Amino acid sequence: MAEVIYPRMAVIGCGLIGSSVIRAARASGTVGEVAVADANPEHRTQIAELGYADLITGHIGEAVEGADLVVLAVPVLAMGPAAEAAAARLKPGATVTDVGSVKGSVAEALAKALPDSAFVVPGHPIAGTEQSGPAAGFAELFEKRWVILTPQARTDDPYLEAVQRLADFWSRAGANVDRMDAAHHDLVLAVTSHLPHLIAYNIVGTAADMEEVTQAEVMKYSAGGFRDFTRIAASDPTMWRDIFLANKDAVLEILGRFTEDLQALSRAIRWGEGDKLFELFSRTRDIRRGIVAAGQESAEPNFGRDRGKSS
Ligand code: NAP
């Protein structure tokens, strides 16, 4: 029998990620009982039908009672209030983590809301799809994906052991676990995930607003690239609104650099500077080939593929 790491786990917010955490934990045998709190009554019914949870409630305090691990899987701006609602009824020595796509502001909110008796270990699984809700989850979501933990600056043994237990929990779900400073996480994700989503939202909006080109033409003649943008731009509006507001500084920093580079490109096009365009396109092709050669990616493009899209 697989060794149980957490006899009781509470998941707060049981949508795509929360329900995948439960499925993966059940499949790997890392948890005993599972309690769920979700604000959405329809989702609570779906979770009951899926049969993965021992307790399903709309009250966060009720769900966290007696839990050894609490996983907050609500939208980023709801993390702080959810932690506040959990605080009074947490078991001393419980580990509290989250799966939010932004770490700096969430880590700060959790540290403020939760008592010293809890081990707070913020986290982010770089895995997901553009679907939402409990029915969209699946146990293999985290396999061979990165989970980044951004532990607090504590060095006492009980805390370090709690961090290691959580790392083991994710490893048993098939994930590769990394540890990182929260601010660095937010900058990295601003480049690799947040800016690409902003570009997708913007380009689909621009195409939709064009009067000279009809919506039917956009869909009819869109090649793979634009289709991928439309899929990414269909990602959950609440989740992405929260990500941009919560990671404002890093996104604006990266957006500033991106805009400067775009200006340089537009200048090269305007003045017919083909050499500059060719040089950039060759450089970016080499970067892509280098990634493929290093074995980090298949040669097949997977930007926005249904399963395993990161955010
Ligand atoms: P989701 O499918 O929409 O699930 C969130 C669930 O939490 C919904 O059932 C939602 O109910 C509920 N909820 C919202 N606020 C709540 C509150 N205050 N108390 C209790 N329940 C609440 O979202 P998700 O895609 O799983 O995302 C959850 C978190 O994971 C986000 O922080 C996101 O940044 C992070 N994340 C997402 C992905 C991804 O690709 N989706 C990847 C990595 C990390 P309603 O439906 O009524 O809102």
Side-chain angles (χ1 to χ4, degrees), residues 26 54 56 75 113 122 131 196 231 256 288 291 297 305:
R26 287 270 192 232
D54 302 288
I56 303 165
Q131 312 296 322
R231 189 162 61 225
R288 169 73 192 174
I291 293 170
E297 177 69 279
R305 192 185 282 165

Side-chain angles (χ1 to χ4, degrees), residues 6-237:
Y6 299 108
R8 190 173 174 87
M9 171 173 78
V11 174
I12 312 306
C14 192
L16 168 73
I17 302 295
S19 79
S20 296
V21 169
I22 298 174
R23 290 168 215 246
R26 287 270 192 232
S28 58
T30 48
V31 297
E33 290 174 355
V34 173
V36 163
D38 197 292
N40 185 328
E42 276 175 40
H43 286 177
R44 292 203 295 272
T45 306
Q46 285 178 29
I47 297 155
E49 284 163 5
L50 288 165
Y52 285 113
D54 302 288
L55 170 76
I56 303 165
T57 168
H59 299 282
I60 293 175
E62 191 185 346
V64 302
E65 201 140 293
D68 307 283
L69 173 67
V70 176
V71 181
L72 303 173
V74 294
V76 165
L77 293 184
M79 294 289 184
E84 277 167 26
R89 289 169 79 173
L90 274 180
K91 176 173 155 177
T95 294
V96 182
T97 190
D98 75 292
V99 297
S101 308
V102 178
K103 292 277 58 80
S105 54
V106 170
E108 216 173 281
L110 299 194
K112 200 167 151 211
L114 296 167
D116 291 342
S117 58
F119 298 119
V120 181
V121 189
H124 177 204
I126 317 277
T129 75
E130 43 286 316
Q131 312 296 322
S132 304
F138 52 102
E140 305 79 23
L141 179 63
F142 310 110
E143 274 178 18
K144 297 194 173 65
R145 313 297 299 188
W146 286 102
V147 170
I148 299 176
L149 300 181
T150 62
Q152 296 179 328
R154 280 177 66 173
T155 53
D156 54 295
D157 284 346
Y159 183 72
L160 297 180
E161 281 159 24
V163 175
Q164 188 55 50
R165 264 197 307 281
L166 186 63
D168 292 344
F169 169 83
W170 281 114
S171 297
R172 295 256 303 267
N176 302 312
V177 182
D178 223 344
R179 297 173 198 198
M180 207 181 271
D181 170 71
H184 189 64
H185 164 281
D186 289 353
L187 196 62
V188 171
L189 268 290
V191 183
T192 58
S193 171
H194 305 169
L195 187 65
H197 273 79
L198 200 65
I199 293 167
Y201 283 122
N202 194 47
I203 197 167
V204 174
T206 302
D209 288 346
M210 282 183 72
E211 281 169 7
E212 308 86 332
V213 179
T214 67
Q215 301 277 328
E217 283 173 318
V218 168
M219 287 323 287
K220 187 172 167 189
Y221 299 117
S222 68
F226 191 77
R227 271 179 198 272
D228 283 342
F229 279 131
T230 61
R231 189 162 61 225
I232 293 163
S235 298
D236 188 69

